Amino acid sequence: MKLNIPNNIAEIIPYPPGKPLEELEREYGIKDSIKLASNENPWGPSPKAVAAVLETLSNLHRYPDGSSYHLTQALADWTGAAPEEIILGNGSNEVIEFLVKAFIRSDDEVITSHPSFLMYQKFVQVRGGTNVVIPLKDMVHDLEAIAAAVTEHTKLIFLDNPNNPCATLVGKEDFAVFLRKLPEEVVVVLDEAYIDFVEPEQRIDVLSLIRETEGIPAVVTLRTFSKAFGLSGLRVGFGIMHAEIASLLHRVRQPFNINLPAQAGALAALTDIEHYEKTINGTAAGREWLSEQVRVLGCVPYPSCTNFFLIDVQGDATALYDAMLYKGVIVRSMKAYGYPHFIRITIGTEQENQRFVAALKDCLKELGYV
């Protein structure tokens, strides 16, 4: 077999997903492990969502609603957006792919930050576009450097806000100033996967910016059901944008991209405010308690407005990651992101948080870090 593979495809490094619990337990010979590495919801999905998914199973021989009408209407009520300003994706990462498909050709540029969500750059690479990558400044998006990097070839700017993995937030005033520096032809994408965990007064009023069509670039926001709603396994995300942009994205999306159980589960999740608030409040309480506990152990926790945060462990983060695995606690080493002394942890349930602290205490002592 002789394949003629384009260089832009051959050079792509596949996205490295976290290993499933079952695989790690087999590999390390451990049982009853806990996973605090992928920013998932430790309280799981709403019982209403589970029940709604189960009700769809007898209809799996039918195609789902290709327009996701009822879910789109519910999202319009939830967000204040108009239905025609909303587009659904198989995870918010699919909406990222729609944007790249719709706007990027081989001679176009896309600006992203490092570190941030890796899929922005991979989708651009698939299209043969050019990635312009700007390092974070003090762990926050360097808006001045990003604005300075814009050229006539720049079509998209991706900003994960809050940023993953640093859990930092761009201020509302800083973002407003930033937009005024950009040409109107650029599309600015705010990936707000973790926005549910941010205090309302700290959030950018994206909806008003989407509808402000004079003097600033088009603004798009991305949201997901994977975090606060606990539906990572169903893969449902959505974007809010000007109706003209949404219309373009509908032209490049696959039909039936949101499957039947996913539509039902997400729709039901929006009705369970009690479960949603349990997640938000439990996350805030756990983040505060964990930050204090790791500080007592001699590590440095970094501020966060999300369901995860960074910890400077004062030593090799990958060695600590390996040591924690043998305790049955899975965290994320940040060495590959350029922070060799940092781990990232997801806030878990109270029991999981206590187990993490106990394992961290033992491993720090074993490794001689503190």
Side-chain angles (χ1 to χ4, degrees):
M1 182 173 64
K2 194 171 184 179
L3 301 177
N4 185 14
I5 303 172
N7 288 338
N8 60 303
I9 302 299
E11 293 171 0
I12 292 175
I13 300 172
Y15 181 81
K19 287 185 178 181
L21 282 174
E22 296 83 358
E23 184 178 343
L24 280 165
E25 288 183 347
R26 288 197 306 270
E27 207 172 294
Y28 284 80
I30 56 178
K31 292 182 179 180
D32 301 321
S33 58
I34 61 171
K35 185 180 180 184
L36 302 177
S38 298
N39 304 339
E40 296 156 331
N41 185 328
W43 292 278
S46 158
K48 292 182 180 180
V50 174
V53 167
L54 290 174
E55 286 184 13
T56 69
L57 298 185
S58 61
N59 289 319
L60 293 184
H61 59 301
R62 303 295 186 191
Y63 285 106
D65 175 3
S67 67
S68 300
Y69 174 84
H70 293 292
L71 180 54
T72 300
Q73 294 294 322
L75 284 170
D77 293 338
W78 175 266
T79 64
E84 59 269 21
E85 295 173 322
I86 296 172
I87 185 165
L88 285 146
N90 185 239
S92 56
N93 60 298
E94 190 182 34
V95 186
I96 297 168
E97 185 177 19
F98 295 161
L99 286 159
V100 175
K101 279 183 177 180
F103 287 102
I104 301 304
R105 296 170 295 185
S106 59
D107 57 345
D108 293 328
E109 296 175 352
V110 177
I111 300 178
T112 56
S113 299
H114 178 76
S116 66
F117 186 41
L118 295 173
M119 290 309 299
Y120 308 139
Q121 295 173 30
K122 293 188 185 299
F123 286 134
V124 173
Q125 196 173 351
V126 168
R127 293 290 290 175
T130 300
N131 282 301
V132 178
V133 184
I134 307 299
L136 298 180
K137 183 178 181 181
D138 299 325
M139 294 190 175
V140 182
H141 292 292
D142 190 344
L143 298 183
E144 287 190 13
I146 291 170
V150 172
T151 72
E152 62 182 6
H153 299 291
T154 305
K155 295 298 187 293
L156 295 170
I157 297 173
F158 284 103
L159 301 172
D160 48 349
N161 191 52
N163 169 263
N164 181 17
C166 295
T168 51
L169 195 67
V170 171
K172 291 187 287 187
E173 292 182 6
D174 290 340
F175 187 69
V177 171
F178 169 68
L179 285 182
R180 297 291 174 185
K181 294 179 179 179
L182 302 176
E184 292 186 51
E185 295 77 14
V186 175
V187 176
V188 179
V189 184
L190 280 175
D191 187 344
E192 297 187 306
Y194 299 94
I195 201 67
D196 298 274
F197 302 102
V198 177
E199 293 294 335
E201 62 271 15
Q202 292 183 287
R203 301 177 191 177
I204 295 169
D205 184 2
V206 183
L207 201 56
S208 67
L209 295 174
I210 288 170
R211 294 168 178 172
E212 187 175 342
T213 57
E214 297 293 332
I216 64 169
V219 176
V220 171
T221 178
L222 306 177
R223 307 279 179 85
T224 183
F225 282 86
S226 294
K227 308 303 179 184
F229 290 101
L231 297 178
S232 299
L234 286 184
R235 313 304 303 127
V236 189
F238 62 100
I240 306 174
M241 61 207 72
H242 190 277
E244 185 177 351
I245 297 177
S247 176
L248 289 175
L249 302 198
H250 279 297
R251 300 176 199 184
V252 301
R253 74 172 176 88
Q254 293 282 345
F256 312 117
N257 63 317
I258 311 300
N259 66 58
L260 182 62
Q263 289 187 39
L267 182 60
L270 287 173
T271 70
D272 195 345
I273 302 302
E274 182 179 351
H275 185 78
Y276 174 84
E277 291 181 347
K278 173 186 175 182
T279 295
I280 303 303
N281 295 334
T283 298
R287 185 173 59 223
E288 182 178 354
W289 184 82
L290 279 169
S291 296
E292 178 58 30
Q293 295 301 310
V294 300
R295 192 177 289 112
V296 168
L297 294 178
C299 299
V300 181
Y302 275 65
S304 167
C305 55
T306 68
N307 67 338
F308 65 89
F309 65 101
L310 293 181
I311 303 171
D312 183 347
V313 298
Q314 312 288 300
D316 186 327
T318 302
L320 180 68
Y321 158 81
D322 287 331
M324 295 283 283
L325 281 178
Y326 286 101
K327 304 287 185 182
V329 177
I330 306 166
V331 298
R332 181 66 65 91
S333 168
M334 289 290 103
K335 188 172 184 177
Y337 288 80
Y339 301 117
H341 295 162
F342 287 72
I343 60 171
R344 189 193 70 194
I345 68 161
T346 308
I347 287 88
T349 63
E350 184 176 349
Q351 183 179 12
E352 289 173 336
N353 294 338
Q354 291 171 352
R355 184 171 169 187
F356 163 77
V357 170
L360 179 64
K361 181 179 180 179
D362 290 343
C363 291
L364 289 171
K365 185 176 181 181
E366 291 170 8
L367 295 167
Y369 288 177
V370 295

